[in-house]
Amino acid sequence: MKSFSLIVSFIFIAVLVSCKGTKKTTEFNNYTLEQLADIDSKDVFDKTYKDIPHTHDVGLFDEGTTERAYTTLYPNSPKEILLIWKTPKGEDLYQVVLSKKGTWHSKLGLSIGSSYDRLIELNKKPIKIFGFGWDYSGAVDWNAGKLDGKNIHVFLKPATDPDPKFYGDGIINPTAEELEALQLTVGKIIVQKE
């Protein structure tokens, strides 16, 4: 009889341990930006991740031409990140937008603060950079490199105010010395939902 209750106790403990290991977490520990982009809709987010600090709102996007719902995860913290939905009702994910330096990263190895040289290394080819001071300030053109077609958009920011010749919506061509003086780092990452 003792051995039977010992076996039952052992099975009970084993079941508890296995259940604990399969419990679904509602934290985004070690999630990549691309994994966040797998969330289908605002309703799915609310059901699955209701315990994550977040707010919902509606705003204008795409240079102020389209009204969309958006969700701010971890608002006003270093982990803040936006989920932008395709419609004002929050149907289908449109973009994941990161602009704060925290723990978020892309599966491609990009994060806020990544250097210009790191982009070249990951892309395996030189990149082109759009000018500053407009809606797509510092946008990167992957120039048919390895990161082209990966649905990830990167925007660089300079460490100091750039020379006025580097403002505007065209491609800029700084010299090596000017590039070094700009000290460009990744200031925003957008993962575009396919």
Side-chain angles (χ1 to χ4, degrees):
M1 200 61 157
K2 265 186 172 180
S3 56
F4 177 75
S5 63
L6 185 61
I7 290 170
V8 169
S9 296
F10 177 74
I11 291 171
F12 179 72
I13 290 169
V15 168
L16 279 178
V17 169
S18 69
C19 287
K20 189 175 182 182
T22 59
K23 182 183 174 194
K24 182 168 180 154
T25 180
T26 56
E27 278 294 323
F28 291 117
N29 297 325
N30 300 315
Y31 265 52
T32 65
L33 301 176
E34 291 84 357
Q35 286 171 305
L36 272 182
D38 287 338
I39 297 171
D40 293 327
S41 69
K42 187 166 73 68
D43 289 343
V44 168
F45 175 87
D46 283 339
K47 288 176 188 167
T48 310
Y49 303 106
K50 62 184 175 196
D51 298 334
I52 298 292
H54 68 280
T55 60
H56 294 304
D57 207 342
V58 176
L60 292 174
F61 294 89
D62 305 322
E63 296 186 89
T65 61
T66 309
E67 187 177 59
R68 301 184 190 279
Y70 66 94
T71 301
T72 306
L73 277 60
Y74 306 103
N76 304 310
S77 80
K79 290 176 72 173
E80 183 176 289
I81 192 165
L82 293 181
L83 304 178
I84 301 174
W85 311 100
K86 287 185 180 175
T87 68
K89 292 183 179 180
E91 299 153 327
D92 300 320
L93 189 64
Y94 177 62
Q95 292 177 332
V96 175
V97 180
L98 176 66
S99 58
K100 289 199 175 182
K101 188 171 184 170
T103 57
W104 296 106
H105 61 281
S106 162
K107 70 179 182 182
L108 303 171
L110 297 168
S111 58
I112 298 300
S114 292
S115 69
Y116 172 85
D117 291 337
R118 177 72 173 145
L119 294 186
I120 304 297
E121 177 188 333
L122 292 170
N123 195 45
K124 307 290 187 207
K125 189 173 181 179
I127 59 174
K128 296 178 183 176
I129 309 162
F130 283 86
F132 304 100
W134 63 300
D135 286 350
Y136 300 109
S137 182
V140 168
D141 178 331
W142 296 118
N143 195 24
K146 186 176 179 182
L147 300 183
D148 201 12
K150 301 287 187 188
N151 297 323
I152 192 157
H153 306 284
V154 170
F155 301 83
L156 296 172
K157 66 176 186 177
T160 60
D161 287 336
D163 187 297
K165 70 181 179 180
F166 296 130
Y167 281 86
D169 60 2
I171 298 285
I172 61 172
N173 294 299
T175 65
E177 293 79 18
E178 290 170 330
L179 201 53
E180 188 175 341
L182 287 169
Q183 296 178 35
L184 297 173
T185 58
V186 173
K188 182 189 287 186
I189 301 172
I190 296 176
V191 175
Q192 186 74 43
K193 185 74 177 214
E194 294 181 30

